Amino acid sequence: MSGTRLKAGLPAALWLVMVVVAAPVLAAGSWVASVPGVRVALAEREVASPPMVPPEAAADGTIDSVGWRFRLPPGEAVRARLCHAGGCVTLGAGQGSSRALAGLPADTPLHFRFALAPGQRRAVAVQGLQVIVNYR
């Protein structure tokens, strides 16, 4: 009789283990934000974008990875960073992804920071500012 109870309880125990193991995956999410472009006029002074504010659903989450995108006019160059209250990551291209902000709170706004590239003399309009934050 006790062997029958053990077998009957096995599916429930297995399900419980699967739920506990899968819980971090089930709690994962992402948020996307876009803000208006900025005009960058100086190499020695960064211009910050408006903040990209996460939804309330990101509360208590931590960043896993961040993707970004911005557009420059053809032939123009800027120095770009994506910043969180806990630090910034240098962006090497107009789009990409990084895990450099992993572990930081996912419910904190992000913003871009731009400055003209060395040797660039003409102001540049940076458009299409967007982030995708994946969090757990």
Side-chain angles (χ1 to χ4, degrees):
M1 186 134 130
S2 64
T4 305
R5 271 193 213 155
L6 181 60
K7 287 179 186 175
L10 188 58
L14 184 58
W15 180 85
L16 181 59
V17 169
M18 288 174 47
V19 167
V20 170
V21 171
V25 175
L26 294 174
S30 64
W31 59 270
V32 178
S34 299
V35 292
V38 297
R39 182 175 165 82
V40 184
L42 300 170
E44 59 277 356
R45 180 178 292 167
E46 289 184 319
V47 174
S49 73
M52 293 168 281
V53 180
E56 288 184 30
D60 299 325
T62 58
I63 295 174
D64 183 52
S65 65
V66 178
W68 70 87
R69 180 176 22 203
F70 61 86
R71 290 187 319 274
L72 297 171
E76 303 293 347
V78 294
R79 290 180 291 134
R81 299 190 303 153
L82 181 61
C83 296
H84 179 281
C88 296
V89 59
T90 300
L91 309 178
Q95 74 178 48
S97 64
S98 174
R99 292 184 43 82
L101 301 176
L104 294 174
D107 61 351
T108 302
L110 299 174
H111 65 275
F112 287 99
R113 297 185 72 74
F114 298 102
L116 291 181
Q120 180 82 24
R121 303 227 186 279
R122 193 170 49 188
V124 175
V126 184
Q127 300 293 325
L129 309 179
Q130 182 181 57
V131 294
I132 301 172
V133 178
N134 297 303
Y135 63 91
R136 298 190 188 278

